Structure formats: C-alpha cells, structure tokens
C-alpha cells in the first residue's frame, strides 16, 4: 500500500484509475482539448505521470492525439456518454412522475450540452391537452426555462459568450433577444431560485424550471403546460416541489 498526494491507503492501481478519470474530467471542463503541460498544470501531477496516463488512455481509445500534439477526448467516450444520458433519464423518471402526480402538468429533465439544451426525459401530463417535448430535442437556452435556470448558475462572461455564439434568434414576440436584458433576468432567476418561459419558445406555453444542484452535468427540471392552466397559484405550488425534486434527484446522482 502507498501514501502519495493525500491518497492514504490506496493501492497504486486504484490511484491510477482516480487520476485517469480526473484527467478526463479536467479535459471535459476545458472544452475537450489540452496539451500535456496544460494537464500537468491543471492536475498538479508530474509530467511523467501525466504522459504515462495519457498514453494508456490513447491506447484504450478514450483520448486521441491531434497533429497539433494536443490531446482530445476520444470516440470511445461517446458510447459511455450515450449510456450515461439514458441512465440519467431512468433515474429522473420517478422524480418527474411525482411532479406530474402532484401538479398535473408535464415534467421534464434537460441538460446544457455545448451551446444547446437537450431534453433527456419527460413524463407527460394526464390531460388530453398537454405539452409534449420529444426526448433528444435540442433548443437554444435563451428561450427556455430550463436553459435560464442552468445559465443563471454560470459566470456572466461565459453566458454572454454563449449568447454571442448562438445569436439569440427570436421564436415568438416574447423571446428575449437582447443580451443585457437576458443577463438581468438571469440575476432575477438566481435570486428567486427558479426560471420561467413565458411563451418565449412556443406561443401559449408556460414553463417553470429549477437547476439541479451539485449535479455532474448542467441539469434542470421543469414543468410545462398551456398558459391558461399554468396560473400564478400553480406556480406558487410548483416552485417548492420542483426545488425538492431537484435536490432529491441530485442526491440520487451522488
């Protein structure tokens, strides 16, 4: 048994696994591409250790070296990511089902993937007229409650850069297309603890969302329904239930 860098009581093989996954997470946080010296600086590990771990991950297909000599996340991670996304929907479903039972409207779970929101799970309302969002659908975050809930947790500079890249296209008359007004709304979302979509993606549809705290990905859950049913009274009841569901889902993920 060894003791190194605070890993008391761990075998070398277990420590290597921890370090390898740590490198993958560091690269993911940095956008998926880094050089050896950047990895060494970010991780605090010696360069020879970084080189050994990276070569192993390249051999396994989890990393790939580009002509620039930088390393990028490899294609084998795609299969793991797809399976992980599926499991997120499985774990979210009981929480979404309880929201539908308690509030009567469709419940959703979504993730920020790059510059887009992707819907990973939905439990539809029992009403004959209901909101249906196809799992796998991708939308831009500036016109969705889930997108706002997630972006309210991000640094403003990063949010503004995302808005610059996406261009904030207008979907309805209610869509916010001004970055300044949008970041002002995000500050209000952070203070209130929840976000709304007031027909900004689709006319006649209202959504309420909260971010999932301490999640491994940028996740949010929401309820959505026709604006006529999504009254102020329903929103008042929904916010604490959504907040509790998000906390419970987060606990499941840990």
């Amino acid at each position: 048994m060894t003791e190194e860098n605070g890993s008391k009581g761990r075998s070398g093989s277990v420590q290597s696994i921890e370090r390898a996954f740590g490198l993958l997470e560091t690269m993911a946080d940095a956008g998926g591409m880094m050089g050896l010296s950047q990895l060494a600086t970010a991780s605090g590990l010696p360069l020879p250790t970084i080189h050994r771990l990276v070569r192993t991950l390249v051999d396994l297909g989890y990393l790939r070296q580009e002509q620039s000599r930088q390393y990028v996340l490899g294609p084998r991670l795609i299969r793991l990511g797809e399976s992980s996304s599926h499991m997120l929907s499985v774990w979210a479903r009981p929480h979404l089902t309880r929201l539908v039972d308690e509030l009567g409207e469709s419940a959703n779970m979504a993730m920020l993937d790059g510059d887009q929101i992707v819907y990973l799970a939905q439990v539809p309302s029992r009403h004959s007229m209901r909101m249906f969002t196809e799992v796998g659908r991708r939308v831009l975050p500036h016109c969705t409650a889930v997108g706002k809930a997630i972006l309210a947790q991000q640094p403003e500079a990063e949010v503004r850069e995302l808005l610059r890249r996406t261009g904030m296209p207008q979907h309805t008359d209610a869509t916010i297309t001004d970055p300044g007004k949008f970041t002002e709304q995000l500050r209000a979302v952070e203070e209130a603890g929840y976000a709304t979509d007031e027909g900004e993606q689709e006319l006649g549809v209202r959504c309420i969302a909260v971010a999932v705290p301490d999640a491994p990905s940028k996740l949010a859950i929401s309820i959505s329904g026709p604006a006529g049913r999504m009254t102020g009274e329903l929103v008042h009841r929904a916010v604490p239930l959504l907040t509790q569901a998000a906390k419970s889902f987060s606990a499941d993920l840990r």
Side-chain angles (χ1 to χ4, degrees):
M1 304 294 285
T2 63
E3 178 178 348
E4 183 180 354
N5 292 338
S7 297
K8 184 177 181 180
R10 295 188 178 95
S11 68
S13 60
V14 171
Q15 189 180 71
S16 293
I17 292 171
E18 291 177 340
R19 288 172 167 178
F21 277 102
L23 291 182
L24 293 175
E25 291 180 356
T26 297
M27 290 187 67
D29 291 341
M33 177 183 289
M34 296 182 78
L36 288 177
S37 59
Q38 291 174 303
L39 280 168
T41 299
S43 67
L45 295 174
L47 196 58
T49 301
I50 295 288
H51 189 268
R52 174 174 55 82
L53 292 171
V54 165
R55 289 312 312 168
T56 300
L57 290 169
V58 168
D59 291 342
L60 293 172
Y62 294 115
L63 290 181
R64 185 175 66 189
Q65 188 174 27
E66 300 291 277
Q67 290 185 347
S68 64
R69 302 192 65 79
Q70 288 194 311
Y71 292 88
V72 298
L73 297 176
R76 287 200 68 180
L77 290 170
I78 295 174
R79 180 167 59 89
L80 297 181
E82 289 174 345
S83 296
S84 178
S85 293
H86 172 70
M87 291 311 301
L88 277 176
S89 69
V90 171
W91 294 327
R93 191 169 186 83
H95 302 284
L96 301 182
T97 299
R98 281 194 291 272
L99 288 172
V100 174
D101 290 342
E102 293 168 321
L103 298 168
E105 301 298 341
S106 298
N108 317 278
M109 187 265 290
M111 176 177 71
L112 182 66
D113 182 25
D115 290 347
Q116 297 179 315
I117 289 292
V118 57
Y119 288 90
L120 300 179
Q122 182 184 68
V123 175
S125 166
R126 277 69 163 173
H127 291 291
S128 56
M129 179 185 291
R130 59 179 182 251
M131 298 301 101
F132 178 77
T133 298
E134 183 180 359
V135 171
R137 181 188 182 198
R138 291 176 174 269
V139 297
L140 293 178
H142 72 284
C143 53
T144 64
V146 285
K148 293 176 189 178
I150 292 170
L151 292 183
Q153 311 297 310
Q154 311 306 309
E156 184 173 322
E158 292 183 13
V159 172
R160 284 185 174 270
E161 180 59 24
L162 182 151
L163 298 176
R164 185 194 64 77
R165 291 193 300 267
T166 62
M168 302 184 72
Q170 186 167 11
H171 295 275
T172 73
D173 290 342
T175 307
I176 300 173
T177 58
D178 178 79
K181 291 181 179 179
F182 186 79
T183 53
E184 282 181 16
Q185 187 173 93
L186 291 188
R187 287 191 283 272
V189 168
E190 185 177 18
E191 183 176 343
Y194 70 95
T196 63
D197 161 14
E198 305 288 353
E200 296 157 55
Q201 172 68 28
E202 185 177 348
L203 284 175
V205 177
R206 192 180 193 196
C207 303
I208 312 295
V210 301
V212 178
D214 304 316
S217 301
K218 296 169 183 177
L219 302 171
I221 60 175
S222 70
I223 62 164
S224 57
R229 289 205 308 259
M230 294 283 289
T231 62
E233 187 275 332
L234 180 64
V235 171
H236 181 74
R237 287 199 298 120
V239 170
L241 293 173
L242 279 164
T243 302
Q244 184 55 53
K247 290 179 179 177
S248 297
F249 182 38
S250 176
D252 284 353
L253 296 178
R254 293 196 298 273

